[in-house]
Amino acid sequence: MWRNRDQTITGRDQVIAFLTAKWDRELDYQLRKNLWAFTDDQIAVRFQYEWHDHDGQWWRSYGNELWRFDAQGYMTHREASINDRPIGQEERRVTPGHGELPTW
């Protein structure tokens, strides 16, 4: 089971459909993740990513994710708390190759 914003996603077919729609909507996606903690089968990260929509509006999405894996290494659970904020292109900060990235 995955939880993403207000969606609960169960099973591979729903995950594929979710990611396909996400990647169609979130163009020129640039991602940054920072590891907070981990155990043998769980990871906690904070993230920020920037993207633009089909109208050219840039967005910064940021928040926290918790992942759990089974013995074969497949993700069994994902919870994400995500905030979306419209930004101007000049406000972008997740731009690899353009100076140092801030830690946050």
Side-chain angles (χ1 to χ4, degrees):
M1 181 212 40
W2 282 20
R3 187 186 65 74
N4 189 82
R5 295 180 174 90
D6 63 344
Q7 294 180 293
T8 300
I9 302 153
T10 304
R12 286 185 181 273
D13 290 341
Q14 287 186 12
V15 169
I16 291 168
F18 166 77
L19 291 173
T20 300
K22 173 184 175 59
W23 294 332
D24 181 54
R25 181 181 65 253
E26 298 177 357
L27 306 174
D28 293 322
Y29 182 103
Q30 298 284 331
L31 171 66
R32 175 152 199 199
K33 289 195 181 203
N34 298 92
L35 179 65
W36 269 6
F38 64 94
T39 65
D40 289 341
D41 65 348
Q42 297 181 81
I43 298 175
V45 299
R46 63 181 183 170
F47 64 88
Q48 56 183 321
Y49 63 92
E50 294 168 346
W51 54 280
H52 67 84
D53 59 26
H54 287 281
D55 294 327
Q57 172 63 57
W58 280 93
W59 296 86
R60 179 173 300 121
S61 301
Y62 58 96
N64 303 298
E65 282 183 290
L66 306 172
W67 304 331
R68 184 176 300 142
F69 301 90
D70 67 15
Q72 289 76 41
Y74 291 105
M75 187 183 297
T76 61
H77 291 79
R78 174 187 180 264
E79 292 196 25
S81 176
I82 304 170
N83 301 292
D84 296 310
R85 185 170 82 77
I87 60 172
Q89 186 165 356
E90 70 282 356
E91 295 177 83
R92 292 181 61 209
R93 61 183 183 206
V94 184
T95 52
H98 297 280
E100 289 192 33
L101 294 174
T103 56
W104 262 115

